[in-house]
Amino acid sequence: MLLGTGGGPRPRTASSAAAQVIVSNEVAYVIDCGDGVARQLAFAGVPLTTLRHIFITHQHSDHNADYGNLIGLAWAAGLRTRVDAWGPPPLARMTKLFFEMNKYDIDTRIANEGRVPIVPLVHVHERRAGGVVMSDDNVTVTSTLVDHPPVVPAFAYRFDAGDRSIVVSGDTAPSQNLVKLARGADVLVHSVMYPPAIDRLVARVPNAAALKASILAHQTSAEDAGRIAQEAGVRTLVLSHFVPPDDPEVTDAVWLEAARRHFTGPVIVGRDLLEV
Ligand SMILES: [Zn+2]
């Protein structure tokens, strides 16, 4: 399920920030933790107590702003079981500092509400290279490095379950590593931009020139996402992490037309809370 489909950290009414959840046998695997991820899970009807694994693609605030909050709020909602978090450094330090920052609330709730200690529940695994991330009864997760200069490392993740294989690109320029990771997958969720609209997007902010160069260097156009999906031979392409996220001139039809130029399979224009 797509929880947030807008690209960039600026809060918007149109869409929430990057986050996805895969649910298998009532176990929740969350990929990225943009602003509002815990509330989006509530809207999605996924109990926060089923949170088991968190995967961060890269350390940018539109993907990690609510990383700590997701854990803290799930715990406040009754989570008493282990959570493993996987992602690039400094994930361990971010986790430690989150607990430190929220020590007052945590200690109060343990003393006052009988909560279990939160710190021992959370196991952090910093990853610097691609490969097999983890495997359990439901799913095997593999990752690869993608191209998101200057944010290094940045990962895409692949989830192979019994009945489904799903790849989430994270943010990346067109990536051959991603093509390899996604080969033959049922679903590829790819971040996309629409280059003709980037000038209008950056015109709204003060650091326009630098922002434009950054976006163009680390995002993939919807047309190229279609090319990559075709090359990887995926069954369905899901467009998400839209840049720009809220330009009325860039309609669903525009995204579809671009992605279909090179991809012959079904294309889905992502929406918050859409179940694929
Ligand atoms: Zn992003």
Side-chain angles (χ1 to χ4, degrees):
M1 188 177 291
L2 306 175
L3 297 173
T5 54
R10 176 175 49 89
R12 301 161 300 265
T13 55
S15 56
S16 198
Q20 294 81 202
V21 64
I22 293 171
V23 178
S24 181
N25 290 324
E26 292 171 20
V27 177
Y29 304 76
V30 171
I31 306 104
D32 279 338
C33 296
D35 174 36
V37 61
R39 190 153 190 260
Q40 290 300 98
L41 282 165
F43 277 123
V46 177
L48 288 172
T49 49
T50 63
L51 175 66
R52 179 65 186 84
H53 290 277
I54 299 171
F55 304 88
I56 299 293
T57 59
H58 64 288
Q59 302 295 8
H60 247 171
S61 57
D62 55 330
H63 299 253
N64 70 13
D66 269 356
Y67 160 69
N69 285 334
L70 174 60
I71 296 170
L73 296 173
W75 175 78
L79 178 85
R80 312 172 65 86
T81 45
R82 175 176 175 138
V83 173
D84 285 76
W86 314 81
L91 195 63
R93 182 167 156 77
M94 290 163 63
T95 310
K96 185 172 164 283
L97 292 175
F98 175 80
F99 291 142
E100 202 177 311
M101 179 174 77
N102 291 282
K103 187 173 171 16
Y104 182 86
D105 175 81
I106 290 167
D107 289 349
T108 304
R109 288 186 194 282
I110 291 170
N112 191 40
E113 299 175 2
R115 307 266 170 208
V116 299
I118 187 172
V119 174
L121 296 183
V122 182
H123 298 255
V124 180
H125 312 266
E126 289 192 345
R127 309 272 308 172
R128 289 172 179 79
V132 175
V133 178
M134 54 78 58
S135 191
D136 63 14
D137 291 345
N138 298 320
V139 70
T140 295
V141 183
T142 47
S143 70
T144 194
L145 291 168
V146 291
D147 300 324
H148 186 342
V151 180
V152 178
F155 293 108
Y157 291 101
R158 175 173 179 140
F159 297 77
D160 285 285
D163 58 342
R164 209 90 183 282
S165 48
I166 300 169
V167 177
V168 178
S169 72
D171 288 5
T172 182
S175 163
Q176 279 304 309
N177 278 359
L178 178 61
V179 170
K180 280 185 216 135
L181 184 78
R183 193 138 277 150
D186 293 308
V187 176
L188 170 61
V189 180
H190 205 306
S191 61
V192 288
M193 67 170 167
Y194 189 67
I198 301 300
D199 282 330
R200 281 199 300 275
L201 173 68
V202 300
R204 300 187 217 151
V205 298
N207 57 331
L211 181 63
K212 181 179 177 180
S214 168
I215 289 171
L216 294 176
H218 77 255
Q219 299 292 349
T220 296
S221 67
E223 180 175 355
D224 281 341
R227 216 178 244 128
I228 280 158
Q230 187 70 24
E231 197 181 339
V234 304
R235 196 156 301 172
T236 301
L237 172 61
V238 178
L239 309 181
S240 192
H241 190 282
F242 298 98
V243 180
D246 52 3
D247 185 328
E249 289 178 45
V250 190
T251 60
D252 284 10
V254 170
W255 291 112
L256 277 176
E257 191 276 324
R260 281 178 176 155
R261 261 173 238 160
H262 304 285
F263 183 60
T264 53
V267 180
I268 295 172
V269 179
R271 281 267 174 281
D272 287 15
L273 305 179
L274 177 79
E275 194 175 338
V276 178

